[in-house]
Amino acid sequence: MTPAVARIITDLTLDREFDYRIPEALRGQVEIGRTVRVPFGRRRARGFVTGLAEESDYPDLKDIEAVVEGPALFDKTMLKLARWMADYYAAPFESAIAAILPAAVRREGARFKRQLAARIAEGAEPTGVDEAVLAKRSPKQAAAWARLKELGECTAAALGEETGVSLAGLRSLAKKGWIALEPGVVRRNPHGHVAVLPTTAPPLMEEQTTALEAVRREMDEENPGVVLLHGVTGSGKTEVYLAAIQAALDAGKGAIALVPEIALTPQTMERFRGRFGETVAVLHSHLSDGERHDEWRRIAAGEARVVVGARSALFAPVRPLGLVAVDEEHEPAYKQDEAPRYNARDVAVMRGKMEGCAVVLGSATPSLESYRNAREGKYRLAVLTRRVDRRTMPEVRVVDMRIESEKEGGARLLSKDLIEAVRLRLSQGEQTMLFLNRRGYATTVMCPACGHVETCEHCSVKMTYHKNTDLMLCHVCGEVRRTPARCGNPKCGAPNIKMSGVGTQRVEAAVRRMFPQARVQRMDSDTTGAKHSHAEILGRFRRGDIDILVGTQMIAKGLDFPNVTLVGVILADLSLQMPDFRAAERTFQLLTQVAGRAGRGDVPGEVLVQTYTPFHPAVQSSRHADYATFFDQEIEMRQVMRYPPCERLTTVLFKGRDEAAVNACAKEFAERLARDLPEDVRLKGPAPAPLEKAKGYYRVQFMLLGRTTARYVPALRRMTKAFKLPRGVSIAVNVDALSLM
Ligand code: ADP
Ligand code: ZN
């Protein structure tokens, strides 16, 4: 029997599905994943079909009004994944549906771009006589005809541009029956027309081969599992993904490769396109809506089998799916910061399970979560211990800034050792990267007379002084203020405002002063605002037009410059001092990644880490890229503190402009929830979040910690559905929160 009832999730935020009757006329067209129009109260709504049934428990169903043209946007597996996300991340179901479908595909009227196109008409076999006549009477039409014979098909616009033929001219050719003129699909191509040279796969090194075998073994399993690929930077992890993707293609399946947004450089794309050509589709945030729509549809149609993209590319409609690779799996960028607050790495594992496809997670510094899973045998572990071509790992030297500042009689930005090392590179024509994870010039603008510090009016943070603009900037909300000549405290007003604390601009200034002959460039989000400046700076660096590149974490990740032989970390302590339980983990990751930038070519690299806490485990372990030691020490801490991954953390944040209302709401929510929680779940707070106020909104949060999220998420989800938030207060549930910030 054909189903008579459809279950619909509307695009209204109700976190509920509704049943509708399928009118006779529409039966057969209504299927899972199709977009429909339905009456809703006195309005109409758009929705997606999430279920079909023969009857409904509800009486008096309304009829579906229309089925929107276009393909089904998801299948049963993706629907199941969306349901799982909503449940697991305690998020409204429609937000999970929105997450799996790009807006460019989901929105009303999303379609291919059509343009008038000309093609040789079927059966058109004009004789030579006609052509000769045409050439005399209308040379432009003749030129267009000749060109079209070469191309077979071409848009009218392009033909006009090339041959000067007018639309009337083309119409006249169409009238003769030589060509057909009708709207055709024009693919919006995000690769532009950049040709990429095809590459062939290199023979794999021994460790790579073993790793590939581990992945292939999972691919062959009936219920494929997860491989954690732990490989030092430059050990050839990407080459393993490429080989595994090839294996998926050979098996008649497709693959998805996720990379952090910041690593989606033209370089990365070229590697995939070079190996797999036109079957590669990209999905990331810099595409236009049109490009994203077309790429998505190309994947859905099976024309593109390999998808490379950031977080949301995980939901690409690759079918059948043979492999998901998640590069830099530890990256916080995989966590979405709006509902559903999913971690693409974890959802990848779940999608793999549901689709029956293998998943490979790769990193030089795996998350404690993944490494623990590997230790416990839940994931298969593959290791790459050596750099390709036996290049040596760079030597890491820790510079104790306490001793340095004692010797030099005060704190210096650049230690003697670092200055010497840079000088040596300059003299040898080699390149240097200097790294500091904070932009701006000075991080504190203070009156030395009364201690008044310039803070943002809307956020609970200090203003940062930017020298290039001579303005103060709030790094949370972007508020810009004039730098005061006198103290802003009305009772003080003293002159001589003091700037302290370092940012990349100050490092840049110091380097320019110290090495006036060097070509210095800074790269952080202040210098890369314009669309292509990021790529432009990296291009100049690659060509050797820059001697010293100063930057934030932007320069720390995934970049491969053979001529960089020195990396300096200006202050390792910055990330260690973050008020967060992952501070050590993040520091270790950062130092290891940064160190990985040095010595990618023939000359061995050197890394200098300046720090005031030289004996911190995160600093010490990074000296030898000694992940296992770091893991053992850190996991013990987490065990004692009962923090992730030993227990699962969820934060629930309340935001609003009215401080009292936010506090009261958080308190009531937490109290009511607490009654519904099992005893072994800890609820801590509510208390002001570390960032107490941002963009004018007060932020109060509580934490939940339990052995598994299943211990408390169901209760939490019930509460979020039942609790009526007061006007002006919003809630953000973050299951498996990565930090307490
Ligand atoms: P990772 O992803 O671990 O940082 P890559 O896969 O980018 O490492 O490899 C580092 C460099 O070594 C790249 O330039 C890559 O082309 C090269 N490479 C990787 N594997 C091989 C191999 N088996 N033979 C030759 N070159 C390789
Ligand atoms: Zn602000």
Side-chain angles (χ1 to χ4, degrees), residues 21 35 65 165 176 274 354 421 541 562 574 639:
R21 206 182 75 89
T35 313
E65 258 175 35
V165 69
K176 289 192 180 79
M354 288 179 179
F541 193 48
L574 277 190
Q639 203 100 49

Side-chain angles (χ1 to χ4, degrees), residues 14 42 67 119 143 228 307 331 386 396 471 519-520 538 564 637 741:
L14 299 160
R42 260 182 254 159
V67 180
R119 61 185 162 75
L228 176 63
V307 178
E331 270 292 317
R386 270 198 302 259
V396 177
L471 293 167
R519 293 162 302 172
V520 180
L538 292 179
V564 173
M637 281 267 290
M741 307 291 281

Side-chain angles (χ1 to χ4, degrees), residues 456 458-459 461 474 476-479:
C456 178
H458 318 288
C459 313
V461 296
C474 169
V476 172
C477 72
E479 162 98 340

